């Protein structure tokens, strides 16, 4: 049954008594609410989304194909990021600006030659963290430490400069948390002094990176892996370059750090899988403590584990687009201007394509198991022209860091810990993930 041209009201969903805030809070967050909605109402759901009015959520990968070319995000939903940017919100810039900007980003972040060019430095940073963990007495905080590591990596890779110490990376991570926590909690009234001070510190940090880059002149690494130089060559303004640097730092350190953390968490809970990963690392690396770039393609089971982790715990649990023309989603017609909600977590839990979806099973990503599965059944980096530009880089970083850490250590959950996923810009653990590390005998 189709809706009329003006409203998706005939799509099933909960009563729209308010803006949805109370129902989302009662469910424990939007990431949990999406699972409940689709379990109750089916693959296409209408629901009130704060800041968007009535939204249409789609959890079927076949139906998602109709939305895959949309290059527009709902502006109101991304207003909380506007204070971080002075040249227009990069999350919502119009398609005619976004397309050229995205091509520059992909030219830097998606290039295999530049990944390989930076691999040795990435390896050194990962080994440095492993050394600190080995010397540490007591449990380590996975998400905190791995987010800091990811931030140092992205600065080294995309910006042509690294945050030179773990302490400086930790300060930047803390500043991002302050800015996001306070700005996300505002209703347009502005943020408090702490958030403004944190934002000023972040901008000053980025300015230092830009200044150092200018002083080096044209000494960009081979393979066009310097984001600042690439943006300058493309004619982007200084303000747009600064905003891009800031948003790249924000997106990269959150997502990659939490993906690695959830992987180690699941392996600690599934020792058989952890043992299989360790055996693969010993077979591929031999006596070497760290991988080379060419080793990553041979770590097939480790890759399957990482993929299954991001199915169960997608770093960004949802996304959104705004329909720019009327869309047909199965038996429904959704009018232009409607917010289309992408419930990544619910897509990954769709039992039609993922039997027993709550179970951790890396074998789902074996070639024979993946054959015939719809391409949008697995979308941890989003879909279409607004998907993550850094997906390829994040995968290389995550595989490398996991290989270094799992070759060297075995991981166990700290006693008495309960790990609860919450949404805090990404799918975070409420109290981090405390873990004890012990040297592996074979390492």
């Amino acid at each position: 049954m189709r809706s009329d041209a003006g409203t998706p009201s005939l799509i099933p969903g909960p009563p729209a008594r308010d803006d949805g805030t109370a129902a989302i809070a009662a469910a424990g967050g939007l990431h949990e609410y999406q699972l409940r909605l689709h379990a109750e109402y089916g693959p296409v759901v209408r629901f009130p989304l704060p800041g968007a009015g009535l939204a249409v959520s789609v959890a079927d990968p076949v139906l998602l194909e109709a939305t895959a070319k949309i290059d527009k995000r709902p502006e109101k939903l991304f207003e909380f990021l506007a204070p971080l940017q002075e040249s227009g919100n990069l999350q919502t810039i119009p398609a005619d600006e976004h397309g050229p900007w995205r091509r520059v980003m992909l030219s830097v972040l998606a290039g295999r030659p530049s990944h390989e060019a930076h691999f040795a430095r990435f390896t050194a940073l990962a080994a440095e963290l492993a050394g600190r963990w080995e010397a540490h007495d007591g449990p380590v905080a996975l998400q905190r430490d791995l987010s800091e590591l990811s931030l140092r990596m992205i600065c080294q890779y995309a910006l042509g400069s690294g945050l030179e110490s773990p302490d400086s990376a930790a300060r930047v991570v803390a500043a991002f948390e302050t800015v996001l926590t306070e700005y996300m909690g505002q209703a347009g009234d502005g943020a408090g002094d702490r958030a403004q001070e944190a934002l000023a510190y972040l901008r000053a940090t980025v300015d230092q990176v830009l200044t150092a880059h200018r002083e080096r002149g044209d000494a960009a690494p081979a393979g066009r892996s310097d984001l600042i130089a690439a943006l300058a060559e493309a004619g982007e303004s200084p303000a747009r370059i600064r905003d891009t640097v800031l948003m790249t730092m924000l997106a990269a350190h959150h997502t990659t750090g939490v993906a690695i953390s959830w992987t180690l968490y699941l392996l600690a809970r599934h020792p058989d899988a952890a043992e299989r990963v360790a055996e693969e690392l010993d077979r591929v690396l031999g006596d070497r403590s760290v991988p080379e770039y060419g080793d990553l393609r041979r770590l097939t089971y480790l890759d399957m584990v990482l993929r299954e982790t991001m199915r169960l715990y997608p770093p960004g649990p949802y996304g959104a687009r705004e329909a720019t023309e009327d869309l047909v989603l199965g038996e429904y017609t959704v009018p232009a201007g409607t917010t289309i909600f992408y419930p990544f977590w619910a897509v990954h839990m769709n039992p039609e394509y993922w039997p027993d979806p709550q179970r951790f099973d890396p074998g789902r990503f074996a070639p024979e198991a993946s054959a015939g599965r719809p391409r949008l059944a697995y979308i941890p980096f989003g879909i279409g022209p607004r998907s993550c530009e850094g997906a390829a880089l994040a995968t290389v970083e995550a595989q490398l860091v996991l290989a270094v850490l799992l070759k060297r250590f075995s991981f166990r959950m700290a006693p008495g810990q309960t790990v609860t996923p919450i949404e805090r810009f990404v799918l975070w653990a409420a109290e981090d993930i405390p873990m004890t590390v012990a040297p592996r005998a074979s390492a």
Side-chain angles (χ1 to χ4, degrees), residues 171-254:
R171 284 194 65 192
V172 171
V173 170
F176 273 127
E177 294 306 317
T178 298
V179 168
L180 286 174
T181 299
E182 294 209 20
Y183 279 113
M184 288 178 73
Q186 299 301 314
D189 298 326
D193 291 343
R194 285 185 66 246
Q196 294 181 29
E197 290 172 3
L199 181 56
Y201 168 72
L202 289 173
R203 286 179 170 155
T205 300
V206 172
D207 283 343
Q208 291 174 9
V209 173
L210 298 178
T211 298
H213 184 278
R214 285 193 295 269
E215 290 174 351
R216 288 195 309 274
D218 295 327
R224 184 43 62 212
S225 58
D226 188 326
L227 180 58
I228 296 172
L231 289 165
E233 285 181 9
E236 295 287 359
S237 68
R240 175 63 57 83
I241 294 173
R242 181 196 203 190
D243 288 350
T244 300
V245 169
L246 198 61
M247 292 306 298
T248 301
M249 291 166 67
L250 168 64
H253 91 264
H254 267 99

Side-chain angles (χ1 to χ4, degrees), residues 31-269:
H31 63 302
E32 293 284 358
Y33 188 49
Q34 61 182 273
L35 297 179
R36 297 188 186 186
L37 284 176
H38 288 285
E40 183 172 355
Y41 296 104
V44 182
V45 179
R46 164 201 44 80
F47 75 108
L49 178 63
L54 279 180
V56 174
S57 183
V58 186
D60 183 280
V62 176
L63 297 180
L64 279 174
E65 289 285 358
T67 75
K69 294 183 179 180
I70 300 176
D71 192 355
K72 181 175 176 58
R73 284 195 173 118
E75 292 186 8
K76 281 188 171 296
L77 289 182
F78 291 87
E79 281 182 348
F80 73 94
L81 289 172
L84 276 71
Q85 295 156 92
E86 298 174 320
S87 64
N89 193 328
L90 293 175
Q91 298 298 318
T92 59
I93 56 175
D96 60 343
E97 290 184 65
H98 176 252
W101 178 86
R102 177 178 171 83
R103 285 191 289 274
V104 174
M105 297 290 286
L106 288 172
S107 74
V108 178
L109 299 176
R112 291 186 180 182
S114 59
H115 295 172
E116 188 169 10
H118 284 81
F119 197 78
R121 181 56 181 155
F122 285 178
T123 303
L125 290 171
E128 178 188 316
L129 174 63
R132 287 194 283 119
W133 278 2
E134 191 165 38
H136 181 74
D137 185 19
V140 299
L142 289 190
Q143 291 188 151
R144 180 198 66 197
D145 289 355
L146 289 166
S147 292
E148 292 169 7
L149 172 63
S150 297
L151 179 62
R152 296 179 72 192
M153 284 181 167
I154 193 62
C155 287
Q156 183 68 44
Y157 178 91
L159 313 181
S161 175
L163 293 175
E164 297 306 325
S165 72
D167 288 344
S168 60
R171 284 194 65 192
V172 171
V173 170
F176 273 127
E177 294 306 317
T178 298
V179 168
L180 286 174
T181 299
E182 294 209 20
Y183 279 113
M184 288 178 73
Q186 299 301 314
D189 298 326
D193 291 343
R194 285 185 66 246
Q196 294 181 29
E197 290 172 3
L199 181 56
Y201 168 72
L202 289 173
R203 286 179 170 155
T205 300
V206 172
D207 283 343
Q208 291 174 9
V209 173
L210 298 178
T211 298
H213 184 278
R214 285 193 295 269
E215 290 174 351
R216 288 195 309 274
D218 295 327
R224 184 43 62 212
S225 58
D226 188 326
L227 180 58
I228 296 172
L231 289 165
E233 285 181 9
E236 295 287 359
S237 68
R240 175 63 57 83
I241 294 173
R242 181 196 203 190
D243 288 350
T244 300
V245 169
L246 198 61
M247 292 306 298
T248 301
M249 291 166 67
L250 168 64
H253 91 264
H254 267 99
T255 50
T256 310
V258 298
I260 300 168
S261 302
W262 287 120
T263 305
L264 295 174
Y265 166 72
L266 285 171
L267 287 174
R269 293 185 57 195

Side-chain angles (χ1 to χ4, degrees), residues 64 68 73 102 314-316 318-319 321 342 344 348 375-376 378-388 391:
L64 279 174
R73 284 195 173 118
R102 177 178 171 83
Y318 44 76
R321 303 290 188 271
Y342 289 162
F344 301 151
H348 291 180
R375 74 180 184 100
L376 299 183
Y378 178 69
I379 47 175
F381 296 107
I383 67 175
R386 297 272 177 171
S387 61
C388 176

Side-chain angles (χ1 to χ4, degrees), residues 303-369:
D303 179 65
M304 290 159 59
V305 166
L306 177 61
R307 290 173 183 268
E308 175 68 346
T309 296
M310 290 194 292
R311 183 188 71 82
L312 288 167
Y313 296 102
Y318 44 76
R321 303 290 188 271
E322 183 178 312
T324 53
E325 58 185 15
D326 291 358
L327 296 175
V328 176
L329 299 175
E331 60 182 309
Y332 306 107
T333 296
V334 177
T338 301
T339 294
I340 306 296
F341 187 77
Y342 289 162
F344 301 151
W345 211 5
V347 174
H348 291 180
M349 292 293 173
N350 188 324
E352 185 174 350
Y353 304 100
W354 305 102
D356 193 8
Q358 300 281 354
R359 181 169 57 91
F360 174 70
D361 178 12
R364 299 180 198 272
F365 290 92
E368 61 275 13

